[in-house]
Amino acid sequence: MNRINQLFNEQKQSGRKLLSLYFCAGCPTLEGTADVIKTLERRGIDMIEVGIPFSDPLADGPVIQSAGTVALKNGMTLTRLFEQLKSIKDDVHIPLVMMGYLNVVMHYGIERFCQSCVDSGASGMIIPDLPFADYLADVKPIADRYDLRVIMMITPETSEDRIRFIDDHTDGFIYMVSSASITGAQNRFDEARQDYFRHINGMNLRNPRMIGFGISNRQTLESAQQNAAGAIIGSKFVTLLNETEGNADLAMDRLYDVLKQ
């Protein structure tokens, strides 16, 4: 079974809320990818989004944009990233989700990308700028053949009809963006945001949901977890990883401290 599906099947049975982290491969150090992933698994993280650096990340805020710039300057490429992941394939047992933009994936080649995901132990991908029609026509058939999950995003502006259409034609989980803005830490989710969370939760979708964008403290974490299978933290962890010069253990210590506040 695909590790993403396995994780959410276990979550459904236990009711335990999940925590997923994003980091940008190649930042702050070129060779730190393997250590970060192994440390996050050891520290109890349930799933990891491995960011593929790109020069024009439209959905990302300044923290992740800066991380991508650093990673590219460090010499990170998609080929090198897959080589790093392949080196720890037998040591990692939680789902790895490749997070990158369409230009990079298409330049690499979608079939080659899927094959490399399998070879390196990745279970799925998030491509924020992939049009849904192109996903259905060109990407889904190939990804299905490799038993990979293509995760789609929804926002507060996504209509109910669109959400149900996405739910009907995807598998794994739905990435529920907390707002229509770019990524970045926020101090709190207001009542309107929480109404949105509750509304989507009440739709009884087939796929589980993970809420991301803006989660950076106890209030935002609990707000997300109350109305979804779990939460995704990106910018806050990227910031802490940079502040600790790539020391993932220390970054995790600081993250867990922040999430208690």
Side-chain angles (χ1 to χ4, degrees), residues 99-142:
M99 172 78 160
Y101 286 85
L102 185 61
N103 183 285
V104 178
V105 175
M106 296 306 293
H107 185 265
Y108 190 83
I110 184 62
E111 180 112 25
R112 182 185 173 205
F113 183 83
C114 289
Q115 182 66 65
S116 294
C117 284
V118 172
D119 292 344
S120 62
S123 299
M125 65 195 79
I126 301 171
I127 308 174
D129 56 342
L130 173 63
F132 201 77
D134 292 345
Y135 155 73
L136 289 175
D138 302 321
V139 178
K140 186 178 187 298
I142 300 174

Side-chain angles (χ1 to χ4, degrees), residues 10-200:
E10 293 171 355
Q11 188 277 331
K12 185 176 181 180
Q13 293 175 5
S14 68
R16 181 178 66 86
K17 297 300 183 179
L18 305 178
L19 181 59
S20 177
L21 294 189
Y22 165 95
F23 79 101
C24 182
C27 178
T29 66
L30 178 61
E31 301 298 336
T33 303
D35 178 67
V36 171
I37 290 172
K38 291 192 290 185
T39 299
L40 297 191
E41 180 173 25
R42 177 170 52 81
R43 296 298 300 269
I45 297 305
D46 299 294
M47 181 166 59
I48 300 172
E49 291 179 19
V50 182
I52 304 167
F54 181 49
S55 58
D56 190 24
L58 298 177
D60 293 315
V63 170
I64 295 178
Q65 286 186 21
S66 176
T69 299
V70 170
L72 291 172
K73 288 181 178 178
N74 285 344
M76 179 55 74
T77 65
L78 189 50
T79 299
R80 178 169 281 167
L81 172 54
F82 277 129
E83 290 172 352
Q84 292 178 348
L85 295 180
K86 192 173 182 179
S87 72
I88 58 170
K89 178 181 179 181
D90 295 335
D91 302 321
V92 177
H93 306 288
I94 61 175
L96 302 181
V97 181
M98 305 299 292
M99 172 78 160
Y101 286 85
L102 185 61
N103 183 285
V104 178
V105 175
M106 296 306 293
H107 185 265
Y108 190 83
I110 184 62
E111 180 112 25
R112 182 185 173 205
F113 183 83
C114 289
Q115 182 66 65
S116 294
C117 284
V118 172
D119 292 344
S120 62
S123 299
M125 65 195 79
I126 301 171
I127 308 174
D129 56 342
L130 173 63
F132 201 77
D134 292 345
Y135 155 73
L136 289 175
D138 302 321
V139 178
K140 186 178 187 298
I142 300 174
D144 286 350
R145 195 160 68 242
Y146 286 89
D147 193 31
L148 295 169
R149 303 294 172 259
V150 182
I151 308 306
M152 289 291 171
M153 294 177 161
I154 63 172
T155 76
E157 279 67 41
T158 309
S159 69
E160 281 199 20
D161 287 345
R162 180 73 168 179
I163 292 171
R164 294 198 184 279
F165 187 73
I166 290 171
D167 189 45
D168 287 341
H169 293 87
T170 60
D171 190 19
F173 70 97
I174 291 175
Y175 192 129
M176 187 172 164
V177 177
S178 67
S179 70
S181 64
I182 57 176
T183 58
Q186 299 179 31
N187 291 325
R188 64 183 303 273
F189 290 145
D190 59 21
E191 191 61 30
R193 201 78 53 84
Q194 295 184 61
D195 282 343
Y196 159 61
F197 296 163
R198 289 188 286 265
H199 175 72
I200 303 301

Side-chain angles (χ1 to χ4, degrees), residues 169-240:
H169 293 87
T170 60
D171 190 19
F173 70 97
I174 291 175
Y175 192 129
M176 187 172 164
V177 177
S178 67
S179 70
S181 64
I182 57 176
T183 58
Q186 299 179 31
N187 291 325
R188 64 183 303 273
F189 290 145
D190 59 21
E191 191 61 30
R193 201 78 53 84
Q194 295 184 61
D195 282 343
Y196 159 61
F197 296 163
R198 289 188 286 265
H199 175 72
I200 303 301
N201 192 39
M203 291 180 65
N204 297 315
L205 300 175
R206 179 178 60 86
N207 280 298
R209 287 153 291 104
M210 294 286 284
I211 297 177
F213 284 47
I215 296 170
S216 61
N217 56 23
R218 181 176 178 178
Q219 194 272 351
T220 50
L221 176 66
E222 291 181 348
S223 295
Q225 289 182 332
Q226 285 171 2
N227 291 283
I232 300 167
I233 297 177
S235 295
K236 189 63 179 181
F237 180 69
V238 170
T239 296
L240 294 172

